[in-house]
Amino acid sequence: MAFPSALCIFSLLALVQAQSESQQPKIQLRLAGNKRKHYEGRLEVFYNNEWGTICDDDFSILAAHVACRELGFLGAVAWSPSAKFGQGEGRIWLDNVHCTGREKSLAECPSNGIGVSDCRHSEDVGVICNQKRIPGHRFINTMNNNVETLEERVEDIRIRPISSHLKRIPITEGYVEIKERGKWRQICDEEWTPLNNRVVCGMYGFPGEKNYNNKVYKSLSMRKKKNYWGFSVNCTGNEAHLSSCRLGKPLEPKRNGTCGRGLPVVVSCVPGRAFAPSSSTGFRKAYRPEQPLVRLRGGSRIGEGRVEVLKNGVWGTVCDDNWNLRAATIVCRELGFGSAKEALTGAKLGQGMGPVHMNEVECSGFEKSLTDCYFNNDALGCSHEEDASVRCNIPAMGFQKRIRLSGGRNPHEGRVEVLTEKNGSLVWGTVCSENWGMVEAMVVCRQLGLGFASYAFQETWYWAGDASADNVVMSGVRCSGTEMSLPQCLHHGKHISCPKGGGRFAAGVTCSDTAPDLVLNAQLVEQTTYLEDRPMYALQCALEENCLSSTAKKNDHSSYRRLLRFSSQIHNVGLTDFRPKLGYHAWTWHECHRHYHSMEVFTHYDLLSLNGTRVAEGHKASFCLEDTQCDEGIQKRYVCANFGEQGITVGCWDTYRHDIDCQWIDITDVKPGDYIFQVVINPNYDVAESDYSNNVMKCKCRYDGYRIWTYQCHTGGSRSSDTDEYPGMSNQLHFR
């Protein structure tokens, strides 16, 4: 038994010796396959002018650390066997790789030897790296494997504008420069292609590139000393970052410091409509884009969200099967952002409602719209738990430098202080809190890159902000919610008007990465709507709670009220639980219904004329919030009984059945005709949500004095504005 062991040890020692530093194969690594982040993918090796893969046999997290560091990342988070990122092609260069974790390259790790493998591509290994990069990452030339003397270190990449563009925000044009050993160097335009421009513009948040005035840059380059980086770059146009492109051949500078045609690389990028260049002292007003075929929902920051597409007039989601950076980048560019920095799966940014329109999306990377990509129409088996999302690169607008939070207990809360121009200089000051609410707070948190607002404060006396910024410099702020910065909201001009003054009444916020999202089940409303004539003697409790029209107070006990009844099922499809704004001490006890109401204004039920005038209202204001039912695997957390905790858990819904008190609109005084039936959840924005556009549900309805027909019920934002009407069901009148 000792002989085989000794043979194994001898073989291993021989293998280590064979792969000594002087004889190590010269390789380069890359991440390929079905990637959803730029720092993950199938691990591929470039050797002997051919790309190949690595077998997962004996691969470990230690080997993953070595590979990720070789790729320029700080280390590995995880590794994946069995071709998780798709099967590669060509040779399997490495098998049975054993690393200690201290090696500088996978080539130093013992293995079967380069090209020696008994694996199939179904065993290709993948890695997930730490997204932080190593300052001074070493690039390796892949063209001839002659890397013995190559010590190139690239620390950063930038677009450096010329003097005439310095004050423009964002910076869209300038020299492409690489930081190497602490010095910025220009890139020679030899071998440079428009595909390289596309990658550079995409990583800086721009959807496209354009031509520029070459004479200006040629004149400048002739006057200045050249300081070129020594390599060309070959991009396919689909890379998320210039560092992901292949290096071309080394460039040999001429004696006069020039190369080839003698010009440094310049890019000129086309910004999305929302990021049109402006002067550094102000920003353009927010705009409302024309309705596209693709949109983002539920994201806390600019350029991120759940992907939704419009099909047959109805918005739906995209299943995350095969979802990757290439498809995500198509979405980002289509919406006026740069390339995607992350393709998210598993409803990471919240679940959508309605249909799943696309599945197994495959893009070449150059489509104009996601709808131009190949996809499987059959989304059977895809639930909203698999909704795809994206995070896009956006231009550096400088928004975060013009606003700050001061005095809070952590960086996510505090008094809002803005930087404004006064008497020719920039000064910090506070914001008047008059009419300050959740929508304005949302804009502040978005501008700071801190996510959603969870609270909006009109008093901040308990936060000692910067004393030099106590003066009010902005008042009358009113936001629509689409703005990217507070100055884009409506506000007073040079003449500040703040009746209560600043100080303790300055505006404040608390920000959060996640938020709930309530959506009413419109289909259930349509299916359960009916009329009931109910005697006044059975409505005394409802009368006390103000659930009837004002004329009901004049009726005697024997008269009847005509009620439009329906069930409401309110889902929380966000990322955090929906909790009432007020604590226990502020809840209201309702004797008739024998429970506490945690929100006095939670929903509005209204019947509107076709021009939007209210003709009847349900007065359904108070609510007790609880988990009636939940998706499979989710536990109920909130119950109204016995003074219990109130709220709606993520993945659960609160159902108010059609047959309970106040679940109606009193239409006794309404004349026959055509109307709009409307339900609004959280109408005063008392509680933060990731999406307020889906809080409104509307139905068209026809009332002939005896029966009512409801049809085309849908939540806000679920359909395009030009959807054809369709006939609804007939709801017969019921008596009790």
Side-chain angles (χ1 to χ4, degrees):
M1 294 296 291
F3 180 76
S5 298
L7 181 61
C8 289
I9 293 172
F10 177 81
S11 300
L12 184 58
L13 290 172
L15 185 59
V16 172
Q17 185 177 4
Q19 293 186 349
S20 64
E21 189 169 337
S22 61
Q23 300 179 4
Q24 288 166 11
K26 308 304 178 184
I27 66 171
Q28 185 185 355
L29 303 181
R30 73 177 181 185
L31 299 177
N34 300 325
K35 299 163 59 177
R36 291 175 177 135
K37 305 181 185 79
H38 72 274
Y39 48 87
E40 70 176 18
R42 180 176 63 247
L43 194 55
E44 294 194 348
V45 176
F46 188 72
Y47 176 77
N48 197 25
N49 289 320
E50 182 181 351
W51 284 103
T53 63
I54 299 176
C55 182
D56 60 16
D57 289 351
D58 294 337
F59 201 86
S60 68
I61 190 64
L62 297 176
H65 280 307
V66 173
C68 287
R69 286 198 297 269
E70 189 171 357
L71 286 163
F73 300 99
L74 287 179
V77 175
W79 67 279
S80 303
S82 306
K84 176 185 175 180
F85 297 100
Q87 296 186 24
E89 298 177 347
R91 300 283 295 274
I92 297 177
W93 283 124
L94 294 174
D95 187 9
N96 296 111
V97 178
H98 297 87
C99 298
T100 65
R102 295 186 293 271
E103 295 85 356
K104 293 182 179 180
S105 168
L106 277 186
E108 297 180 20
C109 300
S111 69
N112 288 353
I114 194 77
V116 180
S117 173
D118 58 357
C119 297
R120 298 181 179 180
H121 283 298
S122 59
E123 300 170 82
D124 287 342
V125 76
V127 294
I128 303 171
C129 300
N130 186 317
Q131 59 181 307
K132 294 183 179 179
R133 299 190 67 82
I134 301 172
H137 166 50
R138 180 179 175 180
F139 272 86
I140 299 177
N141 180 11
T142 62
M143 296 302 291
N144 55 18
N145 288 332
N146 182 23
V147 298
E148 284 83 355
T149 60
L150 183 61
E151 289 291 340
E152 297 304 316
R153 292 187 176 274
V154 178
E155 299 164 26
D156 202 358
I157 301 169
R158 72 179 182 183
I159 299 176
R160 181 172 67 84
I162 59 174
S163 57
S164 61
H165 293 162
L166 283 175
K167 292 186 178 181
R168 291 189 182 180
I169 296 178
I171 296 170
T172 60
E173 183 176 305
Y175 294 109
V176 179
E177 296 186 340
I178 285 181
K179 196 173 187 180
E180 175 196 17
R181 297 190 181 110
K183 294 183 179 180
W184 287 103
R185 303 183 188 278
Q186 297 170 339
I187 302 177
C188 176
D189 65 1
E190 186 176 325
E191 307 286 338
W192 191 264
T193 70
L195 294 177
N196 298 355
N197 288 338
R198 174 181 169 87
V199 172
V200 172
C201 290
M203 60 186 276
Y204 279 98
F206 304 113
E209 64 285 342
K210 62 182 177 65
N211 295 326
Y212 57 92
N213 187 348
N214 191 41
K215 294 181 179 179
V216 174
Y217 292 97
K218 188 172 184 179
S219 175
L220 285 172
S221 67
M222 292 176 66
R223 283 184 263 160
K224 294 188 176 182
K225 184 180 178 181
K226 312 301 184 301
N227 186 18
Y228 285 113
W229 187 51
F231 295 88
S232 61
V233 182
N234 296 322
C235 301
T236 66
N238 285 324
E239 291 85 356
H241 196 276
L242 194 66
S243 63
S244 300
C245 300
R246 287 182 59 186
L247 282 187
K249 62 184 180 182
L251 301 177
E252 298 181 5
K254 308 297 182 183
R255 289 183 180 178
N256 61 358
T258 62
C259 68
R261 288 165 286 168
L263 292 178
V265 167
V266 174
V267 297
S268 184
C269 305
V270 180
R273 182 178 169 188
F275 304 99
S278 64
S279 67
S280 60
T281 57
F283 303 100
R284 289 186 174 222
K285 296 292 184 184
Y287 76 100
R288 292 189 177 277
E290 297 177 5
Q291 190 174 59
L293 294 176
V294 178
R295 70 183 184 185
L296 300 182
R297 282 289 184 272
S300 63
R301 295 168 180 84
I302 303 167
E304 73 173 32
R306 177 179 61 254
V307 180
E308 297 187 352
V309 295
L310 187 65
K311 180 180 179 182
N312 298 329
V314 178
W315 287 100
T317 60
V318 177
C319 187
D320 64 12
D321 291 350
N322 297 342
W323 187 246
N324 58 24
L325 273 177
R326 189 169 292 187
T329 291
I330 296 295
V331 172
C332 292
R333 292 186 187 272
E334 179 179 2
L335 295 176
F337 306 112
S339 52
K341 57 184 176 182
E342 198 165 354
L344 298 160
T345 60
K348 290 287 194 315
L349 297 181
Q351 296 185 27
M353 298 286 283
V356 178
H357 282 328
M358 300 178 76
N359 184 25
E360 298 175 357
V361 178
E362 293 182 15
C363 303
S364 70
F366 294 92
E367 292 85 354
K368 296 295 183 183
S369 170
L370 187 71
T371 57
D372 296 331
C373 298
Y374 167 83
F375 64 94
N376 186 350
N377 278 302
D378 182 7
L380 294 176
C382 281
S383 68
H384 286 297
E385 294 176 353
E386 301 171 83
D387 284 344
S389 313
V390 299
R391 287 196 176 107
C392 307
N393 288 313
I394 64 170
M397 299 295 291
F399 289 142
Q400 296 181 22
K401 298 177 182 179
R402 304 179 68 87
I403 193 168
R404 69 189 184 190
L405 301 182
S406 182
R409 294 163 296 180
N410 57 63
H412 291 78
E413 69 175 17
R415 184 177 76 175
V416 178
E417 296 178 358
V418 295
L419 188 65
T420 58
E421 188 174 354
K422 189 174 183 180
N423 298 326
S425 60
L426 293 174
V427 297
W428 287 98
T430 60
V431 179
C432 182
S433 65
E434 188 177 10
N435 298 320
W436 184 260
M438 191 64 72
V439 176
E440 289 73 30
M442 284 284 189
V443 174
V444 169
C445 293
R446 184 185 303 129
Q447 182 177 350
L448 286 165
L450 296 177
F452 302 105
S454 54
Y455 292 99
F457 300 95
Q458 293 188 347
E459 290 189 31
T460 53
W461 55 267
Y462 36 79
W463 285 332
D466 190 331
S468 65
D470 283 345
N471 292 333
V472 176
V473 296
M474 183 178 288
S475 63
V477 180
R478 292 182 62 189
C479 302
S480 67
T482 62
E483 298 87 354
M484 292 188 290
S485 70
L486 206 61
Q488 290 180 344
C489 300
L490 292 173
H491 61 277
H492 295 150
K494 295 182 179 180
H495 302 288
I496 303 299
S497 175
C498 191
K500 292 183 178 180
R504 62 175 292 179
F505 295 105
V509 300
T510 297
C511 303
S512 173
D513 277 337
T514 56
D517 185 18
L518 300 186
V519 183
L520 184 68
N521 185 335
Q523 185 178 11
L524 182 66
V525 172
E526 186 173 321
Q527 292 172 347
T528 57
T529 305
Y530 65 97
L531 296 180
E532 178 193 354
D533 282 354
R534 193 169 179 85
M536 277 298 302
Y537 65 78
L539 293 171
Q540 291 309 298
C541 187
L543 185 63
E544 289 179 25
E545 294 201 8
N546 209 27
C547 294
L548 300 173
S549 296
S550 56
T551 57
K553 296 178 181 178
K554 303 175 183 178
N555 291 153
D556 56 40
H557 284 260
S558 60
S559 61
Y560 281 77
R561 304 298 296 181
R562 178 156 292 177
L563 308 175
L564 171 60
R565 309 200 69 149
F566 61 96
S567 295
S568 68
Q569 188 181 91
I570 300 170
H571 293 246
N572 182 3
V573 296
L575 297 176
T576 53
D577 295 353
F578 185 95
R579 299 300 310 279
K581 179 181 179 181
L582 301 175
Y584 280 120
H585 66 282
W587 293 0
T588 305
W589 174 257
H590 286 256
E591 185 64 30
C592 282
H593 294 148
R594 304 296 298 172
H595 61 228
Y596 282 92
H597 285 181
S598 58
M599 293 187 69
E600 286 306 310
V601 181
F602 180 65
T603 53
H604 285 168
Y605 301 161
D606 298 304
L607 196 67
L608 311 174
S609 66
L610 295 183
N611 65 9
T613 304
R614 182 184 295 145
V615 296
E617 54 186 322
H619 295 284
K620 180 66 175 179
S622 301
F623 242 75
C624 151
L625 298 169
E626 66 179 1
D627 296 327
T628 307
Q629 285 181 279
C630 299
D631 290 328
E632 186 177 351
I634 297 177
Q635 296 293 322
K636 298 179 183 180
R637 297 182 59 187
Y638 304 107
V639 60
C640 293
N642 301 321
F643 203 28
E645 288 273 5
Q646 292 195 23
I648 306 176
T649 305
V650 175
C652 299
W653 53 93
D654 186 2
T655 301
Y656 269 65
R657 286 172 48 87
H658 57 84
D659 54 358
I660 67 174
D661 257 4
C662 297
Q663 189 59 31
W664 61 58
I665 297 178
D666 183 352
I667 65 167
T668 306
D669 305 314
V670 174
K671 297 178 181 179
D674 291 317
Y675 298 97
I676 298 172
F677 171 28
Q678 175 179 280
V679 178
V680 185
I681 306 169
N682 195 13
N684 297 334
Y685 311 118
D686 287 329
V687 178
E689 294 187 51
S690 60
D691 188 355
Y692 288 118
S693 67
N694 56 18
N695 283 27
V696 179
M697 188 226 66
K698 292 185 178 182
C699 301
K700 291 187 176 181
C701 61
R702 175 166 293 179
Y703 175 50
D704 66 0
Y706 302 97
R707 296 171 297 177
I708 195 163
W709 291 263
T710 57
Y711 56 98
Q712 201 175 334
C713 294
H714 64 278
T715 55
S718 65
R719 302 179 184 276
S720 67
S721 56
D722 54 355
T723 307
D724 293 331
E725 295 184 10
Y726 56 90
M729 58 181 290
S730 172
N731 299 300
Q732 300 296 324
L733 184 65
H734 294 267
F735 289 89
R736 258 190 201 173

